[in-house]
């Protein structure tokens, strides 16, 4: 009896055991495969970025539509914070950003070094580095001095070749271009370097008038790319010393030269719109930030290789990665809408400063971009009283003066400008800096003396 | 008459069987209840995104299956003592039948429950938990990493905070490190008490004017949680904002708040005032590095 019973029980146990195991595995498998709740059980997926890329015709590799600009790294007391740079570049690399733009002049020469140090931790073929020949100063126009700048870039970056090399800030005129690059033989030298593979792409960055643009393009040089300022504000703005972005883009597209976009946010101004403009954008789409609108506008054009953005904060970087992973192109209706926004922006008499700091340091210690940034902020937010009869004159006056002395220390205020004009040659936006400084100073004077 | 002894015991056995069946049913219903209980328990602890903890959920399923099987084993095992050989045969097949069917029934029932729960969760997950991805730290701290290095968690700032918004963190990585929590009140712009008492310089000494120029974070509006999309017009956040960073704009047939992140200082007044319950419809997202306003 007992033998019989034991066998039955054993089979019974067996059955239960296998049954439970089978069922639990089924339940588990179902939970893993079907349930969205189970995502946390799976190991993290290998990095698969959805970043939109554009094909580089020279190397045949994909360039991420978001490029990292090296002009605005987090810094303290004028020193770049290397840890933060590494942290930002790590996130950027992980999310598919592979174009890194720098120049010898950025951050007083620290940008190349910091970026080189950070990027060297990655395989050389996983990123593109762009740097520039920044021989603005007439002292650097000789071949030796220019070549020294070029050689120094390799030293600072610590790399044996440069993917994208630019003639920095072409623009003030035909003579200037010839003196900087042609007469001293620098352009021939760079083309030779390209043949030898030390440079992979040769191009130029451009801020200037139509004449110098067409002159550079008419030369017998194969330009692999050209970097231009392009955003919805500049798209249709056409003036004598400065052709519209649309014109530049069309000219380059006609010649089949890929375009790299700089200043897609106009020095951050398109990201910080005033309340009226912000309300308009949000009415159209509550989920889009002003920065995303501007980036999408630039990225939607087909002949754009990459859109550069100098992202200081991690939040900027992650937001931009979201915008471009993948890029949702703007429609024609959206483009018209953005043009209306640009027109509305033009009503504010702001200074077109993008805080590139090419004008600095000022021999009289005026903080030029700081003054302009403060003025622009006040103009866009309507914080400048029109006259003494204005409703909130007293309050606006004291607030303007108080915040001015706080934003710009008194030794760096506009009143110290002697109109020497040294900065004007350097300004890629061709701002008449002394005139604007006078304007700020007069406004401050009038407010201080109650004579507005 | 042929089997008097058996006849005698029959009514007894019948009652015995009845009571056993009763026990079986009670135990089964108990185990079923336990199943549901565990499922609900597992579902009752959503993570910060209001997703349900998958691991505990699945563990609970495995546990219930095991418990039920053991229970079955117990019940069927206890019946063993007073049965004949033929009945044993019959019983063992019944046992196996019972085991299989009950296990199947249980798993399918749980499958259904899970399906049901998924459906019901779908509604819940639409609401977003208003929680900053990054701790919000007071103005004057400049940068979170620096703050973490400098602060020695003495809690003096927590004690002195008049609005009781500065609280010690409960997260593992930042345990006891002061952070701002705005669900009940906000960080007053005319108060720098925490900066004054800080003994380590983790919170720099700043003036009240300085404070109005430091962005420690920015407000984020959550459409799903907001009253306005339920046709209950509300502009509390706009009213309370000390910096006029919030404005109401038309969007479809609703008036929705939009935030000027360039102006927003991250004081949390909007979050404290938001009447949406239990999840706020506007909250402050902290900046890793504070920015000049």
């Amino acid at each position: 009896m007992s033998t019989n019973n034991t066998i039955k029980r054993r089979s019974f146990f067996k059955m239960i055991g296998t049954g439970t195991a089978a069922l639990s595995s089924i339940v588990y498998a179902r939970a893993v495969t079907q349930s969205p709740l189970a995502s946390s059980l799976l190991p993290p997926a290998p990095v698969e970025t959805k970043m939109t890329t554009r094909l580089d015709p020279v190397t045949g590799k994909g360039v991420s539509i978001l490029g990292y600009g090296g002009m605005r790294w987090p810094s303290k007391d004028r020193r770049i914070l290397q840890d933060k740079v590494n942290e930002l570049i790590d996130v950027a690399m992980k999310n598919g950003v592979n174009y890194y733009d720098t120049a010898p002049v950025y951050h007083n020469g620290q940008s190349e070094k910091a970026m080189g140090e950070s990027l060297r931790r990655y395989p050389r073929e996983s990123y593109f580095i762009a740097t520039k020949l920044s021989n603005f100063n007439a002292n650097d126009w000789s071949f030796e001095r220019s070549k020294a700048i070029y050689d120094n870039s390799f030293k600072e970056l610590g790399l044996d070749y440069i993917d994208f090399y630019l003639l920095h800030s072409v623009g003030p005129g035909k003579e200037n271009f010839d003196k900087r690059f042609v007469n001293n033989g620098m352009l021939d030298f760079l083309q030779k370097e390209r043949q030898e593979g030390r440079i992979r792409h040769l191009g130029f960055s451009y801020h200037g008038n139509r004449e110098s643009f067409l002159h550079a393009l008419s030369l017998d040089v194969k330009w692999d790319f050209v970097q231009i300022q392009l955003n919805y504000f500049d798209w249709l703005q056409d003036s004598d010393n400065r052709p519209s972005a649309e014109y530049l883009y069309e000219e380059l597209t006609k010649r089949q030269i890929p375009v790299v976009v700089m200043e897609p946010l106009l020095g951050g101004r398109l990201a910080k719109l005033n309340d009226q403009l912000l309300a308009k954008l949000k009415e159209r789409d509550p989920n889009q930030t002003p920065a995303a609108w501007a980036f999408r506008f630039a990225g939607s054009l087909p002949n754009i290789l990459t859109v550069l953005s100098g992202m200081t904060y991690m939040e900027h970087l992650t937001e931009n990665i979201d915008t471009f992973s993948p890029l949702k192109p703007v429609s024609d209706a959206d483009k018209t809408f953005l043009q209306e926004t640009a027109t509305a922006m033009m009503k504010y008499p702001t200074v077109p400063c993008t805080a590139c700091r090419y004008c600095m340091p000022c021999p009289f210690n005026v903080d030029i971009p700081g003054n302009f940034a403060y003025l622009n902020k006040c103009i866009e937010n309507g914080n400048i009283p029109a006259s003494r009869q204005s409703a909130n004159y007293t309050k606006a006056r004291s607030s303007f003066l108080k915040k001015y002395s706080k934003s710009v220390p008194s030794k760096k205020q506009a009143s110290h400008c002697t109109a020497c004009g040294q900065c004007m040659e350097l300004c890629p936006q061709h701002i008449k800096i002394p005139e604007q400084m006078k304007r700020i100073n007069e406004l401050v004077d009038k407010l201080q003396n109650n004579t507005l | 008459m042929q089997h008097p002894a058996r006849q005698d015991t029959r009514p007894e056995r019948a009652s015995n069987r009845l009571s056993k069946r009763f026990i079986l049913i009670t135990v089964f219903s108990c185990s079923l209840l336990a199943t549901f209980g565990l499922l609900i328990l597992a579902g009752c602890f959503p993570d910060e995104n209001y997703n349900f903890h998958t691991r505990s959920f699945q563990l609970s399923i495995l546990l219930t299956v095991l418990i039920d099987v053991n229970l079955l084993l117990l019940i069927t095992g206890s019946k063993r003592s007073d049965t004949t050989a033929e009945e044993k045969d019959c019983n063992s097949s019944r046992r196996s039948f019972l085991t299989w069917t009950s296990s199947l029934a249980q798993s399918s029932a749980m499958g259904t429950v899970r399906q049901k729960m998924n459906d019901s969760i779908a509604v819940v997950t639409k609401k977003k938990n208003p929680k900053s991805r990054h701790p919000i730290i007071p103005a004057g701290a400049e940068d979170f990493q620096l703050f973490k290095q400098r602060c020695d968690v003495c809690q003096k700032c927590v004690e002195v905070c008049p609005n009781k918004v500065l609280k010690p963190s409960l997260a593992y990585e930042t345990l006891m490190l002061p952070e701002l929590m705005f669900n009940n009140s906000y960080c007053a712009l005319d108060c720098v008490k925490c900066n004054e008492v800080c003994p380590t310089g983790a919170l720099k000494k700043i003036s009240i004017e300085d404070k109005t120029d430091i962005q420690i974070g920015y407000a984020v509006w959550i459409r799903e949680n907001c009253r306005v999309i339920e046709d209950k017009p509300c502009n509390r956040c706009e009213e309370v904002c000390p910096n006029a960073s919030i404005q109401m704009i038309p969007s479809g047939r609703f008036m929705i708040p939009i935030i000027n992140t360039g102006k927003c200082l991250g004081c949390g007044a909007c979050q404290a005032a938001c009447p949406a319950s239990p999840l706020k419809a506007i909250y402050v997202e902290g900046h890793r590095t504070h920015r000049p306003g």
Side-chain angles (χ1 to χ4, degrees), chain B residues 151-165:
Chain B
C151 176
D152 60 1
V153 294
C154 68
Q155 310 297 322
K156 277 187 183 162
C157 51
V158 175
E159 274 172 43
V160 84
C161 181
N163 283 4
K164 304 279 172 222
V165 284

Side-chain angles (χ1 to χ4, degrees), chain B:
Chain B
M1 293 300 273
Q2 279 171 333
H3 306 283
R6 277 191 84 168
Q7 268 194 346
D8 277 349
T9 50
R10 230 168 223 169
E12 200 194 309
R13 282 198 64 227
S15 76
N16 198 5
R17 201 177 280 171
L18 198 79
S19 70
K20 276 206 172 133
R21 192 168 293 163
F22 178 70
I23 289 168
L24 197 117
I25 290 165
T26 11
V27 169
F28 252 94
S29 50
C30 279
S31 79
L32 262 178
L33 268 176
T35 314
F36 281 105
L38 271 168
L39 286 177
I40 288 163
L41 258 179
C44 269
F45 301 113
D47 65 11
E48 48 200 48
N49 297 322
Y50 276 68
N51 285 328
F52 289 73
H53 276 303
T54 328
R55 216 171 272 270
S56 60
F57 182 84
Q58 289 181 351
L59 238 156
S60 77
I61 291 174
L62 288 183
L63 261 174
T64 14
V65 169
L66 276 175
I67 289 168
D68 290 348
V69 165
N70 283 341
L71 279 171
L72 247 175
L73 199 80
L74 254 170
I75 298 156
T76 45
S78 69
K79 283 176 75 184
R80 199 183 44 190
S81 53
D82 49 346
T83 37
T84 61
E86 305 88 70
E87 273 184 77
K88 254 177 226 153
D89 262 355
C90 162
N91 266 356
S92 73
S93 67
R94 192 168 59 192
R95 270 177 223 159
S96 61
F97 173 74
L98 259 172
T99 320
W100 281 107
T101 45
S102 65
S103 303
L104 273 170
Q106 287 257 323
S107 61
S108 66
M110 276 184 300
T112 333
V113 167
R114 203 159 53 84
Q115 210 57 48
K116 276 261 154 66
M117 277 181 74
N118 278 355
D119 291 349
S120 65
I121 293 162
V123 182
V124 181
T125 41
K126 269 189 186 166
K127 294 233 174 193
K128 248 182 83 188
N129 189 13
K131 195 177 179 315
S132 176
R133 281 174 296 181
H134 206 263
I136 310 157
I137 46 173
E142 291 179 350
D143 180 84
F144 184 73
Q145 283 304 326
L146 288 177
F147 180 65
K148 210 173 154 182
Q149 284 164 18
R150 289 171 181 159
C151 176
D152 60 1
V153 294
C154 68
Q155 310 297 322
K156 277 187 183 162
C157 51
V158 175
E159 274 172 43
V160 84
C161 181
N163 283 4
K164 304 279 172 222
V165 284
L166 203 52
K167 287 175 185 162
S169 165
L170 298 176
Y172 175 70
E173 299 84 13
T174 56
L175 194 67
M176 299 305 282
L177 207 65
E179 62 172 315
L180 291 163
M181 295 182 194
F182 295 133
N183 271 345
N184 297 320
S185 189
Y186 68 102
C187 181
L189 293 182
D190 56 353
C191 162
V192 286
K193 287 209 170 106
C194 51
N195 305 80
E196 281 161 7
V197 296
C198 183
T200 63
L203 295 176
K204 290 261 163 63
K205 306 272 179 288
I206 54 167
S207 68
I208 289 167
E209 286 83 41
D210 288 336
K211 187 165 178 174
T212 53
D213 267 350
I214 300 173
Q215 296 180 312
I216 61 166
Y218 60 101
V220 177
W221 177 60
I222 306 172
R223 189 186 178 89
E224 294 84 353
N225 299 4
C226 190
R227 292 160 63 95
V228 297
I229 62 158
E230 291 165 13
D231 261 340
K232 294 175 192 156
C234 171
N235 66 338
R236 281 295 290 152
C237 47
E238 185 205 12
E239 280 174 7
V240 296
C241 181
N243 205 23
S245 312
I246 301 178
Q247 51 176 328
M248 304 298 290
I249 59 155
S251 166
R253 59 202 176 93
F254 311 118
M255 289 294 279
I256 62 164
I258 58 161
I259 298 131
N260 189 337
T261 46
K263 271 161 91 181
C264 178
L265 299 173
C267 71
C270 48
Q271 185 175 349
C274 179
S277 168
L279 299 176
K280 299 272 183 181
I282 194 160
Y283 73 101
V284 176
E285 189 77 62
H287 285 315
R288 283 159 185 258
T289 307
H290 291 173
R291 304 176 188 180

Side-chain angles (χ1 to χ4, degrees), chain A residues 80-287:
Chain A
I80 289 187
L81 302 168
Q82 185 69 41
D83 292 350
K84 298 239 168 216
V85 174
N86 291 351
E87 206 181 315
L88 288 162
I89 287 190
D90 286 344
V91 172
M93 286 295 281
K94 199 179 147 199
N95 288 286
V97 177
N98 65 3
Y99 190 102
Y100 295 84
D101 175 88
T102 182
V105 288
Y106 295 165
H107 285 280
N108 296 321
Q110 299 170 57
S111 178
E112 278 187 332
K113 197 175 169 60
M115 286 173 80
E117 205 173 313
S118 187
L119 285 168
R120 278 200 307 274
R121 299 173 302 147
Y122 290 92
R124 182 64 186 90
E125 60 281 3
S126 63
Y127 57 88
F128 297 102
I129 189 101
T131 191
K132 312 184 183 83
L133 179 59
S134 314
N135 58 349
F136 304 140
N137 201 313
N139 298 332
D140 294 331
W141 287 353
S142 69
F143 178 77
E144 287 72 28
R145 292 292 290 269
S146 296
K147 189 173 177 295
I149 294 175
Y150 170 74
D151 289 338
N152 195 50
S153 287
F154 283 96
K155 207 180 102 198
E156 294 285 331
L157 289 166
L159 303 171
D160 49 5
Y161 70 90
I162 291 169
D163 297 284
F164 290 80
Y165 200 73
L166 299 92
L167 311 181
H168 200 174
S169 196
V170 167
K174 205 170 154 179
E175 298 79 36
N176 179 286
F177 183 90
D178 286 346
K179 277 179 189 158
R180 276 177 66 188
F181 309 112
V182 183
N183 298 350
N184 59 11
M186 212 44 211
L187 196 53
D188 296 330
F189 170 71
L190 290 174
Q191 282 177 278
K192 224 172 277 164
E193 289 287 289
R194 177 169 61 181
Q195 271 173 8
E196 281 160 26
R198 302 236 301 158
I199 298 172
R200 299 286 157 96
H201 302 72
L202 184 61
F204 62 88
S205 76
Y206 167 81
H207 298 275
N209 56 24
R210 206 166 301 221
E211 178 210 354
S212 52
F213 180 68
L214 293 173
H215 172 61
L217 288 178
S218 67
L219 291 172
D220 185 25
V221 180
K222 184 190 171 280
W223 298 112
D224 297 315
F225 69 106
V226 170
Q227 184 164 319
I228 58 167
Q229 178 169 331
L230 189 153
N231 52 57
Y232 66 80
F233 186 76
D234 287 323
W235 185 243
L236 292 177
Q237 275 225 63
D238 205 273
S239 65
D240 288 342
N241 60 0
R242 184 159 175 185
S244 70
E246 188 191 23
Y247 168 81
L248 300 175
Y249 175 80
E250 294 301 340
E251 285 295 316
L252 291 167
T253 310
K254 212 160 66 187
R255 293 169 168 81
Q256 295 185 323
I257 300 172
V259 178
V260 173
V261 172
M262 59 179 152
E263 302 289 3
L265 294 181
L266 204 59
R269 280 173 55 210
L270 298 184
K272 279 191 177 182
L273 298 175
N274 67 15
D275 285 344
Q276 290 81 12
L277 295 168
L278 181 74
K280 267 190 191 160
L281 290 187
K282 289 276 180 180
E283 263 178 55
R284 190 158 179 98
D285 186 351
N287 301 320

